[in-house]
Amino acid sequence: MATLKEKFAGKMVPMRERIQKILKENGEMKIADCTIAQAYGGMRSVKSMVWEVSALDPNEGIRFRGFTIPELQAKLPKLPGTGEPIPEGLFYLLLTGDVPTLEDALAVGEEWKKRAKLPDYLIKVLESLPVDMHPMTQFSLAILALQKDSKFAARYRAGMPKIEYWDPMYEDVMDVIAKLPEIAARIYMRCYKGAKYIAPDPKLDWAANLAHQIGNDKPDFYDLIRLYLDIHSDHEGGNVSAHTSHLVGSALSDAYYSLSAAMDGLAGPLHGLANQEVLRWIMDTMKDLGGVPNEEQLKKYLWNTLNSGKVIPGYGHAVLRKTDPRYVAQREFALKHLPDYDLFQIVSSIYKVAPDILLQHGKAKNPWPNVDAHSGVLLMYYGVTEYDFYTVFFGVSRALGIMAQLIWSRALGLPLERPKSVTTEWVESQIKAAAQPK
Ligand code: HAX
């Protein structure tokens, strides 16, 4: 059996040739124009970056290497007696484009276990942080601290040729992904459980070990974390976390810099932090209304949120125009495992009433729920009540997609990202010139 690294190396040369042919024969072909509104409006829909590992369709949602979430749930390897694919297999798919066997996925897991031990200096860094520092800040700092051991940075300094960049990038990516569950768990146990650390269990898979190290060993919770880490892993290249990692990596910053920066973007409330905001919003609703709200009360509360100039967290999307399939996957998990849970009932009631309200409100282009509308309630059900921590789970998962792409970016020799900016004065001059009679 070829190792993941050998498998990737075999894919790299044909892919380089494929892209060189496209650039040589069709490099000047136009694929997009950018309007003034797009330049001011966060570059929505401007096709100006290549991302190999996943693609997002506004109506259908995410496909990982061409596969929808239900297709992946059927095709990717699962451990005997469990319900969801292990993320080790998803990473293999994202990196190589091929569906792994269980043996392939387990080999990735073994590789990660060998690289998982946290260095002493990192533990000291974590122990030095205030426990009331946001978990995402701690997570980003921990990843950044590991940069000290970057193999890419060391080899670059020693004068590595460009053709070799992918190799130490691969090593850094495998090293950092391996360590994320323990970093996350240490932050959780220190902030919320009096620093009662639990050692990783070598018999468990990468996702189950995260659950285990936060002290939650229910088999259904293991499956929830596997599902969670699979579905949050990637969402094409233009979202804030993915684009940040791509941009930072394009300066030949190593995987640690790139991932830490991506986590800073994920920590924004319009992006990954929305998952904690959803829970905060639901808890505030229950507190203000003195219990589980009925649909009429929810409608009123949703209008109050909008009328006070706030967004409804977990709803809307910059690309999607239908219910997010990641929301649907989590809803199906809830229907199977916790159909009567009161917070799930609230999430379902919001799903019934919020889209119509957002349509009447008339601003959001997409009134449907995104991934973050559902994830917190599932975690809450299994006892992870500290919602400030939720985005860290998202970050552990998101590393899989953006780090697989980072290896590809170095393998393909993608250059420094450097779009052109213009001033408003320049925009006005163009408008004026266009209005002149020809
Ligand atoms: N509630 C209220 N207003 C909303 C809204 C929502 N859920 N979604 C969009 N709008 C508003 C926007 O704020 C914007 O208002 P202004 O014109 O006053 O600025 C208007 O509708 C048009 O926005 P849009 O084009 O539909 O959406 P954007 O592409 O600008 O933004 C967001 C996409 C996801 C940021 C947006 O829908 C939002 O703020 N949603 C709530 C936060 C959220 O759930 N974020 C997580 C998104 C998924 C993700 O990245 N997860 O990590």
Side-chain angles (χ1 to χ4, degrees):
M1 184 187 79
T3 64
L4 180 61
K5 192 171 183 181
E6 288 160 355
K7 175 102 187 172
F8 174 75
K11 299 264 170 186
M12 206 167 49
V13 176
M15 188 68 182
R16 281 188 191 136
E17 288 168 359
R18 197 167 139 202
I19 292 171
Q20 274 155 10
K21 184 170 184 293
I22 293 171
L23 291 174
K24 189 165 164 224
E25 295 174 4
N26 294 292
E28 298 309 309
M29 196 180 110
K30 277 187 110 179
I31 53 170
D33 290 313
C34 176
T35 63
I36 293 175
Q38 286 171 314
Y40 279 100
M43 298 183 278
R44 293 291 181 288
S45 313
V46 178
K47 293 190 183 72
S48 58
M49 126 190 232
V50 175
W51 193 262
E52 303 292 352
V53 302
S54 73
L56 181 59
D57 177 84
N59 294 308
E60 189 196 53
I62 190 67
R63 276 183 184 262
F64 301 94
R65 287 287 187 179
F67 296 109
T68 62
I69 290 171
E71 285 166 357
L72 286 187
Q73 285 173 307
K75 277 179 196 291
L76 283 178
K78 297 182 186 111
L79 297 173
T82 68
E84 300 292 340
I86 49 173
E88 289 87 332
L90 179 74
F91 182 74
Y92 185 106
L93 173 76
L94 293 174
L95 186 64
T96 66
D98 293 342
V99 176
T101 61
L102 178 59
E103 195 191 3
D104 292 326
L106 290 174
V108 174
E110 286 311 309
E111 193 64 39
W112 287 351
K113 278 173 199 168
K114 281 188 220 146
R115 300 168 187 248
K117 189 169 165 19
L118 303 188
D120 289 346
Y121 74 83
L122 178 66
I123 292 172
K124 283 192 193 125
V125 168
L126 284 168
E127 297 284 323
S128 73
L129 302 176
V131 286
D132 59 350
M133 178 184 272
H134 194 279
M136 278 304 279
T137 316
Q138 300 192 40
F139 191 54
S140 173
L141 277 168
I143 293 166
L144 190 60
L146 282 170
Q147 194 279 333
K148 180 182 119 27
D149 293 331
S150 168
K151 291 169 180 155
F152 182 91
R155 291 261 304 268
Y156 189 85
R157 208 180 165 119
M160 155 178 65
K162 191 171 180 184
I163 195 81
E164 292 176 13
Y165 286 175
W166 73 273
D167 186 311
M169 191 56 90
Y170 175 93
E171 298 297 331
D172 278 356
V173 164
M174 296 295 273
D175 282 345
V176 72
I177 290 178
K179 294 178 177 60
L180 297 178
E182 186 168 346
I183 293 174
R186 277 187 166 265
I187 294 169
Y188 181 83
M189 297 308 268
R190 190 164 167 271
C191 289
Y192 308 116
K193 304 287 171 187
K196 293 197 188 86
Y197 302 119
I198 299 170
D201 180 343
K203 292 191 294 306
L204 290 174
D205 52 293
W206 186 72
N209 243 320
L210 172 54
H212 168 70
Q213 287 177 92
I214 63 166
N216 202 324
D217 283 302
K218 296 181 196 81
D220 286 352
F221 185 65
Y222 285 1
D223 261 342
L224 173 67
I225 295 298
R226 291 182 188 114
L227 173 70
Y228 190 107
L229 299 184
D230 284 336
I231 64 176
H232 287 77
S233 60
D234 209 40
H235 216 224
E236 74 164 34
N239 65 77
V240 171
S241 51
H243 190 189
T244 303
S245 94
H246 191 67
L247 173 66
V248 173
S250 84
L252 297 187
S253 302
D254 55 59
Y256 301 97
Y257 282 129
S258 166
L259 183 58
S260 171
M263 293 304 106
D264 300 342
L266 193 70
L270 296 187
H271 191 20
L273 204 79
N275 59 11
Q276 80 166 50
E277 295 305 296
V278 170
L279 247 289
R280 194 188 301 284
W281 188 89
I282 292 176
M283 296 320 244
D284 284 352
T285 315
M286 286 179 59
K287 202 163 100 199
D288 288 356
L289 297 173
V292 176
N294 61 35
E295 282 183 21
E296 282 316 305
Q297 289 172 314
L298 264 181
K299 281 185 192 167
K300 237 172 153 177
Y301 212 82
L302 286 162
W303 274 117
N304 283 348
T305 302
L306 290 170
N307 291 336
S308 60
K310 294 185 211 143
V311 295
I312 297 183
Y315 278 72
H317 200 271
V319 178
L320 285 171
R321 292 297 174 256
K322 290 272 163 66
T323 297
D324 190 334
R326 299 171 299 173
Y327 177 93
V328 176
Q330 295 180 94
R331 181 171 164 78
E332 276 164 13
F333 188 96
L335 286 168
K336 190 167 159 199
H337 295 281
L338 43 129
D340 302 323
Y341 182 43
D342 55 0
L343 290 187
F344 172 55
Q345 307 285 348
I346 298 181
V347 165
S348 300
S349 300
I350 299 173
Y351 190 26
K352 275 195 210 148
V353 298
D356 272 350
I357 290 177
L358 279 165
L359 281 173
Q360 283 171 45
H361 184 242
K363 272 192 172 183
K365 292 192 189 71
N366 173 31
W368 300 105
N370 60 57
V371 66
D372 297 316
H374 216 304
S375 51
V377 163
L378 298 176
L379 293 167
M380 200 80 170
Y381 177 76
Y382 288 102
V384 188
T385 54
E386 304 84 0
Y387 39 85
D388 275 1
F389 187 78
Y390 290 174
T391 314
V392 176
F393 286 116
F394 196 155
V396 173
S397 171
R398 183 50 57 97
L400 297 175
I402 64 183
M403 291 291 99
Q405 176 60 42
L406 191 67
I407 299 173
W408 269 111
S409 299
R410 294 293 72 80
L412 299 176
L414 298 187
L416 184 77
E417 200 176 271
R418 181 57 171 91
K420 176 86 184 83
S421 67
V422 294
T423 61
T424 295
E425 202 177 2
W426 182 89
V427 171
E428 286 164 347
S429 74
Q430 298 301 298
I431 296 170
K432 212 165 151 193
Q436 298 293 325
K438 298 258 156 26

